[in-house]
Amino acid sequence: MARRSFSLLKTLTKPTTSFSLTPTPTSRSVTYMPRPGDGAPRAVTLIPGDGIGPLVTDAVEQVMSAMHAPVYFEKYEVHGDMNRFPAEVIESIKKNKVCLKGGLKTPVGGGVSSLNVSLRKELDLYASLVNCFNLPGLPTRHENVDIVVIRENTEGEYSGLEHEVITKFCSERIAKYAFEYAYLNNRKQVTAVHKANIMKLADGLFLESCREVATKYPSIKYSEIIVDNCCMQLVSKPEQFDVMVTPNLYGNLVANTAAGIAGGTGVMPGGNVGADYAVFEQGASAGNVGKEKMVEQKKANPVALLLSSAMMLRHLQFPSFADRLETAVKHVISEGKCRTKDLGGDSTTQEVVDAVIANLD
């Protein structure tokens, strides 16, 4: 599969440059022509969150400042042990339309609901997207991995309602989003992940919706795979997958598995999007909070959230800033001199940030 720039939640513009470790003016595609006023700075709600969140969100703030990116942050303290999101935070996100957040710790058991889940439901962020791909210079067991996992985000077991089945409405709109995403990003295949052999009503409805939408996109190959076989295929031959669309619970498992195969959760970008709002965060959730020793040593990997921030910049229609950030991050990874422990190095978060800033063109 051809390597491509990592994917965006909504393709509103084409990136102005292709990835190159030594970009030159001749590598640019036809220029991006903004509308008058498009360069006005945009407000973004920032939630540092728990665990490594404050470290990696601070990394993003430093890089954005160094790039003179046309965004500014409205920062709010939110933690996973709160009963609910403060009203002023929800108001800020609804006003700004875009949010960047670190992880929020979810208590295990005890009847305490996840703030991550409640935010998605409050803002109707029905599509979660995680891009799992090989980074140049980062050795992994498999090559040519470039998977986008799109999962339904608002209902089913993972929504906190353990016995709620999925609906036709939500199944149809996540299928539509997956195919629209594939179409806009020149992806060739969409695979629906399911357990319809057992979950005949819920997953059967999900598959029915995917099949109906697939007929409207004849240029995109459509396939289906049972989640058990999907997991086996992911760890044995992940390069066969392109875009994967899943119900809520399976998507969480598939995305974290794909992330581990492609290089680890510390480097995979992602976000959540609905009709009106978008929240960008580390793509795969496993291990993005907790890790007290890593926080004390200040050695958290900021790459995933930096790449998620590049996705955010494209979503805001600032493509050249997104390209600069992505290229700088990929150069640092490829060079191999500055890597955190999860990537085989011993660098601090700040050392990675400094290296990225030094490589901004």
Side-chain angles (χ1 to χ4, degrees), residues 97-114:
K97 309 293 186 185
V98 175
C99 172
L100 181 73
K101 66 180 282 291
L104 295 172
K105 187 174 182 179
T106 300
V108 178
V112 180
S113 62
S114 165

Side-chain angles (χ1 to χ4, degrees), residues 2 5 37 60 92 121 131 145 205 218 266 284 298 333:
S5 289
V60 172
S92 174
K121 297 178 79 171
N131 190 190
V145 177
L205 185 63
K298 298 184 177 180
I333 295 294

Side-chain angles (χ1 to χ4, degrees), residues 306-336:
L306 286 170
L307 293 178
S308 297
S309 300
M311 288 174 63
M312 181 187 75
L313 288 169
R314 290 202 179 98
H315 181 81
L316 291 170
Q317 294 186 275
F318 299 133
S320 66
F321 287 93
D323 291 343
R324 289 175 61 203
L325 175 51
E326 182 183 347
T327 300
V329 169
K330 287 183 174 179
H331 189 107
V332 170
I333 295 294
S334 178
E335 197 174 41

Side-chain angles (χ1 to χ4, degrees), residues 194-316:
H194 67 96
K195 189 66 175 172
N197 56 324
I198 303 298
M199 309 286 286
K200 296 183 185 298
L201 293 178
D203 285 21
L205 185 63
F206 170 74
L207 281 185
E208 180 184 301
S209 299
C210 290
R211 290 166 184 169
E212 288 175 359
V213 174
T215 62
K216 300 175 183 177
Y217 291 87
S219 64
I220 297 172
K221 182 182 177 183
Y222 173 65
S223 61
E224 299 170 358
I225 188 168
I226 295 174
V227 65
D228 317 43
N229 186 30
C230 174
C231 293
M232 183 185 70
Q233 294 293 329
L234 270 174
V235 299
S236 59
K237 194 179 178 184
E239 63 275 8
Q240 69 184 285
F241 296 109
D242 192 350
V243 175
M244 307 175 78
V245 60
T246 79
N248 203 342
L249 181 59
Y250 308 151
N252 181 257
L253 306 176
V254 169
N256 280 280
T257 301
I261 290 165
T265 58
V267 294
M268 300 302 152
N272 307 276
V273 69
D276 300 308
Y277 313 108
V279 175
F280 295 85
E281 58 189 336
Q282 182 170 319
S285 58
N288 66 352
V289 295
K291 300 190 177 180
E292 295 179 5
K293 186 175 181 181
M294 184 183 295
V295 174
E296 292 171 3
Q297 296 176 339
K298 298 184 177 180
K299 290 186 175 182
N301 190 346
V303 168
L305 201 65
L306 286 170
L307 293 178
S308 297
S309 300
M311 288 174 63
M312 181 187 75
L313 288 169
R314 290 202 179 98
H315 181 81
L316 291 170

